[in-house]
Amino acid sequence: MKKQLLLIATLVVAMSCKTEGTKKEATSNMVENPLLVKSSLDFGAPDFTKIKNEHFMPAILKGMEVQNEEIAKIIANTEAPTFENTIVALEESSKTLDNTTSVFYALAGAHTNDTIKENQKELAPKFSKHNDEVLLNTKLFEKIKAVYDNVENLDLDAESKHLVKEYYKNFVKAGANLSEEKKNELKEINAELASLSNDFGKKLLDASKKGGLTVTDKEQLKGLSEETIKGLEKDGKYEIQLINTTQQPLLQTLENREVRKELFEKSIHRTDAGEYNTSDLVKKMALLRAKKAQILGFDNFASWSLQGTMASTPDKVFEMFNGLIPGSLAKVAAETKEIQAEINKEGNDFTLAPYDWNHFAEKVRKSKYNLNEDEVKPYFELTNVLEKGVFYAATKLYGITFKKRTDIPTYHPDVVVYEIFEEDGSKLGLFYGDFFARDSKRGGAWMGAFVKQSKLRGQKPVIYNVCNYPKPAEGEPALISFDNVETTFHEFGHALHGLFGNQKYASISGTSTARDFVEFPSQFNENWATHPEVLNNYALHYKTGEVIPDALLQKIKNAGTFNQGYSIIENLASSNLDMQWHTISVDTNIEDVAKFEEEALAKMKLKIDEVPPRYRSTYFAHIFSGGYGAGYYSYLWTEMLSHDAYDWFKNNGLLTRENGQKFREQILSKGNTMDYAEMYKVFAGRDPQAEPMLKARGLQ
């Protein structure tokens, strides 16, 4: 969760109108609110035995009030602005609010309910207003600018100097230099965008939850395992819930083509018509963002948004696309021929459709590489993957160790908790793992922090990973696909980035980095999933304990570049959609979202009927409700960094403590304390290169 600078002037007025008796009652309630007192649990972890729905709203409003009071003190201070009385004071003004929102938004994503949803809706415009009241506060900015203008003459360490520059940059980016008239116009746009974004997220969550496929005849589920079918059964029917991507996992194994088609159609049309239609929200947000960029002096939203990133400009992003598209198109064309040949070989007379791709691609995989997903899954039991794979690799690289904690309360029974220790036995932090899909959880996988690392605040990190793996039936093992194995490694890469934060200031600690850098540690960590020493330690048959056979391991490796054309094209298509939506001008006339999307894909030669975008615009949560507007390209950008870094490891002995320590010290522990390109160059000794990624993808 990004650090939020908030202000609530109206709250002070509202509270001043209460009677003395009401004030005492409110104060008593605040004292009893577990979100407003320091948790007695280890590492200050949230005590979910005490936290209730009714605590969130008053705690968040109190956090706003506290921050408002602290900022008022900064402005009222008649002494000359200094690093301590301005920058540090502003940094610490959000501490109470950070503590409350970290828990609230964790549950909003992982275990929501009607109360939390209503709170989100009510808070969205409030947060927008409060952020603007801080970032567009003229008197506050004057003090920040005074410190910034003199920063090179101050006796500050490098991190503190960087903090000053970050605050100044963020205020300017937000519009602090605008006229009061333009600031007011910007505030109105920001408030509207916040509400629209919240509405988008809510509609999408409801659409995914309620828009799935119900099958009444078990025979129509032919191809699925008995365990999978058992997990789908509900009240005598079988319910297939949608996940947030275009393609749905069960399309791979469902043999009934009509059922596959129906499931696919449910997926791609979940939010383009009827009750959950988000088309108008998409159009409004895209145009409002363009208007916002214009007010801030930029040609389009992407140009404004990419400030401070490694890519820096839309042209650089499109340059990356243009470098990847030709090889990707050639690769996907070859894959299309292979899959169509497989369809024909079975005596079918139909042409490959998008809902056929995964099903027949799996058959090609089996015939070409003799690799059967059902043959692989028994070796990937979730707890083994986590403890003997993900944790094992982290111990080998970084010396850290793990101990399961069953005494730390969680927000859901499925959540597991581990305490993490440094090599010398000292405490590092806590890790929560929430791996199974449920109705109260949004789709996808992500990392967050209940408590962010900060030396100034005396905080060690409390980190969580959330995924959406199918939950096994009661008493059955949690066997996951190799894709999900890689996701587990990926998300723990984010966790390591948060755990290894070594900053004084929370706002630039750990994962508080640019979007096209933050995915680097997570994508890099995926590489260890197939490292022989790591894989042989965790890939154990859940019944026999047998280590995965070398022959099967070789099949997985051989199949590693299979279907990569499809994979990269669906990603490029979505990344391109994101950039096309966010490089429009305020004068662009968008009548129809589907038409805009079609033209945007065709413009870059990415309109391929058999390979739809990973996300279509109407359910593209990353960019319309997840803070990744003009930033989805970062997954491809950081994939380049991750493969290049792994290439460095290959050339220097791979899985060694020495290499791990270097990566930790020069990448994972740096947070947002220096230029990212320079940070990478210090680590690798050179600029990143694209060749390792192209080779890994089989594109070169």
Side-chain angles (χ1 to χ4, degrees), residues 425-440:
S426 60
K427 295 174 180 289
L428 175 61
L430 283 181
F431 170 73
Y432 292 60
D434 181 2
F435 298 106
F436 299 124
R438 54 178 173 268
D439 287 349
S440 61

Side-chain angles (χ1 to χ4, degrees), residues 281-500:
L281 296 175
V282 168
K283 289 188 288 186
K284 287 178 183 176
M285 277 191 277
L287 288 169
L288 278 171
R289 287 173 177 175
K291 179 65 174 175
K292 174 176 178 174
Q294 183 187 57
I295 292 171
L296 289 162
F298 289 82
D299 292 337
N300 53 61
F301 183 82
S303 296
W304 172 80
S305 179
L306 290 172
Q307 295 174 84
T309 64
M310 287 188 76
S312 71
T313 68
D315 286 345
K316 288 278 185 68
V317 176
F318 282 116
E319 184 181 322
M320 178 185 71
F321 292 168
N322 289 327
L324 292 172
I325 287 172
S328 302
L329 290 175
K331 182 78 170 172
V332 86
E335 291 169 358
T336 302
K337 288 181 180 178
E338 278 189 296
I339 294 172
Q340 186 64 57
E342 182 70 26
I343 291 171
N344 298 342
K345 187 175 78 174
E346 292 192 2
N348 299 302
D349 61 356
F350 56 79
T351 301
L352 172 65
Y355 46 85
D356 297 318
W357 188 288
N358 284 356
H359 182 71
F360 286 96
E362 179 62 15
K363 294 191 175 189
V364 173
R365 189 200 307 270
K366 289 177 183 177
S367 61
K368 188 172 183 178
Y369 301 101
N370 196 23
L371 182 64
N372 185 334
E373 191 70 53
D374 290 334
E375 183 184 6
V376 170
K377 277 186 177 181
Y379 292 93
F380 298 137
E381 191 277 322
L382 179 57
T383 301
N384 276 344
V385 171
L386 182 66
E387 296 182 349
K388 297 181 178 181
V390 175
F391 292 173
Y392 176 81
T395 299
K396 285 288 184 179
L397 287 166
Y398 312 113
I400 58 177
T401 53
F402 303 78
K403 177 185 176 183
K404 193 166 187 178
R405 295 285 299 266
T406 57
D407 59 325
I408 302 287
T410 61
Y411 56 85
H412 190 278
D414 288 346
V415 180
V416 291
V417 183
Y418 295 84
E419 184 172 1
I420 306 177
F421 301 88
E422 295 280 19
E423 194 167 24
D424 63 4
S426 60
K427 295 174 180 289
L428 175 61
L430 283 181
F431 170 73
Y432 292 60
D434 181 2
F435 298 106
F436 299 124
R438 54 178 173 268
D439 287 349
S440 61
K441 183 189 289 187
R442 67 176 170 87
W446 64 94
M447 164 267 183
F450 289 127
V451 180
K452 257 186 122 174
Q453 181 274 333
S454 167
K455 293 177 184 176
L456 181 64
R457 296 180 181 180
Q459 295 176 176
K460 290 183 179 293
V462 179
I463 305 296
Y464 60 85
N465 281 170
V466 182
C467 301
N468 270 279
Y469 307 152
K471 187 174 181 179
E474 188 69 31
E476 297 293 331
L479 305 180
I480 60 176
S481 67
F482 188 68
D483 280 348
N484 287 342
V485 170
E486 290 186 314
T487 297
T488 311
F489 275 84
H490 176 103
E491 294 306 330
F492 196 72
H494 282 307
L496 289 169
H497 201 185
L499 288 162
F500 288 156

Side-chain angles (χ1 to χ4, degrees), residues 485-546:
V485 170
E486 290 186 314
T487 297
T488 311
F489 275 84
H490 176 103
E491 294 306 330
F492 196 72
H494 282 307
L496 289 169
H497 201 185
L499 288 162
F500 288 156
N502 191 32
Q503 280 64 60
K504 184 174 182 180
Y505 309 107
S507 66
I508 55 174
S509 173
T511 57
S512 298
T513 63
R515 287 172 305 201
D516 59 5
F517 191 84
V518 76
E519 293 294 334
F520 164 35
S522 54
Q523 298 212 53
F524 168 77
N525 205 54
E526 291 180 35
N527 289 293
W528 304 113
T530 52
H531 185 280
E533 182 182 348
V534 177
L535 194 140
N536 287 333
N537 195 64
Y538 75 83
L540 309 173
H541 197 284
Y542 78 100
K543 285 184 178 177
T544 66
E546 172 197 10

Side-chain angles (χ1 to χ4, degrees), residues 41 48 53 79 89 118 154 194 236 252 263 285 344 498 505 538 690:
L41 298 178
F48 289 106
N53 285 338
E79 296 178 3
E118 285 303 311
L154 301 177
Q252 180 176 296
L263 178 58
M285 277 191 277
N344 298 342
Y505 309 107
Y538 75 83

Side-chain angles (χ1 to χ4, degrees), residues 29 35 56 107 111 119 132 146 162 204 223 242 255 270 322 362 370 433 486 491 505 546 582 588 630 644 674 683:
N29 289 338
L35 292 166
F56 287 119
L107 295 195
H111 194 40
N119 286 168
D132 285 343
H162 191 80
L204 178 54
L242 299 178
E255 293 185 11
R270 73 185 86 174
N322 289 327
E362 179 62 15
N370 196 23
E486 290 186 314
E491 294 306 330
Y505 309 107
E546 172 197 10
H582 292 114
T588 305
D644 191 64
M674 63 186 293
F683 163 70

